[in-house]
Amino acid sequence: MVRTKGVRVVEVGQVPLVRIGDLARSAGVSVRAVRYYEQQGLLSAQRSASGQRLYPPEAAERVRFFQDMFAAGLSSRRIAELLPCIDLGHTDAEQRHMLQAERERIRERVTELQSALRRLDQIIEVTATHP
Amino acid sequence: MVRTKGVRVVEVGQVPLVRIGDLARSAGVSVRAVRYYEQQGLLSAQRSASGQRLYPPEAAERVRFFQDMFAAGLSSRRIAELLPCIDLGHTDAEQRHMLQAERERIRERVTELQSALRRLDQIIEVTATHP
DNA sequence: CTTGCCTCTGACGTCAACGTCAGGTCTTAG
DNA sequence: CTAAGACCTGACGTTGACGTCAGAGGCAAG
């Protein structure tokens, strides 16, 4: 076990593994959030002898992907359904249907937001002439 | 008091008023939602002698505006702050700041969503080649 | 060895926009 | 007059993605 720039790293064969705090920091989320993702079946972790979670550094990318999807309004359930598509690189009919449905949902949200934006702009415009 | 096409209407002077159920239907929300908006200070209502809420028909437009703003991620608190800007037709510095901030927030959400859309499209594209 | 930070597992708290239920009143069609 | 809806006021329940706290253990530095 070595220490590199403040981040404790466990070398298992050639694979460096980081602990939950480091993952959380590098992904920009809380430690609680990472544990939550595991609980929801989105993220798995190796365990050290003493039971501490150990992650490969790529896990940070995956966590950021979760954030993107949450921001897009997907539930953790949907994201869980999404992961096999990514990991296996192929989809069945049901999965393709789900992907299209979510895509459409997000597109609708975008147009909703743009509509709201226009309404806000109207208000700003109107009241700008009457300060 | 008259009945017009199934909608009970109260004539007070020249102003026709509708009851909460009619407002809810014409705005496409639940009765509970309308009461909630009143509780949050977004909507006021005249009361009949027996205490029932009475609304001018334009209230439906206002309720739809609430829906737009909620869909854009504004809280009822923010919407309440917004209403005087609309009703009075002018804004002070603080209000203008708030309007700009919310505008910017929504714009960020849009780009987030578009980013998520691209990621989903990538997945769809990749897996489409491997059915 | 101890100090200080990190991690662990529960488990309860939060927040917003309502849903839902209870128990009672109003209104109107028939 | 009566029965069926619509409406009233509380007040508790729901959902999702975590926050937060408690109590206990792990681990590198001095």
Side-chain angles (χ1 to χ4, degrees), chain A residues 55-131:
Chain A
Y55 302 90
E58 314 90 82
E61 197 183 342
R62 175 159 282 215
V63 168
R64 279 190 291 264
F65 173 72
F66 298 158
Q67 291 296 107
D68 273 24
M69 293 301 111
F70 282 130
L74 299 223
S75 64
S76 49
R77 178 142 189 68
R78 281 288 178 230
I79 300 177
E81 291 174 24
L82 215 58
L83 291 180
C85 306
I86 301 173
D87 294 341
L88 303 180
H90 70 90
T91 50
D92 61 23
E94 193 182 356
Q95 287 171 332
R96 273 190 292 277
H97 187 271
M98 184 268 284
L99 283 167
Q100 288 296 336
E102 287 299 338
R103 216 200 94 94
E104 204 42 41
R105 229 186 33 70
I106 296 173
R107 267 193 48 72
E108 282 171 17
R109 287 274 310 150
V110 168
T111 62
E112 271 179 14
L113 288 188
Q114 287 172 338
S115 154
L117 216 46
R118 276 193 298 275
R119 303 202 67 161
L120 266 190
D121 284 343
Q122 266 186 328
I123 297 172
I124 291 174
E125 194 180 337
V126 167
T127 60
T129 65
H130 293 270

Side-chain angles (χ1 to χ4, degrees), chain A residues 1 30 32-33 36-37 50 70 75-76:
Chain A
M1 206 174 293
S30 69
R32 177 67 173 95
Y36 176 74
Y37 301 155
S50 62
F70 282 130
S75 64
S76 49

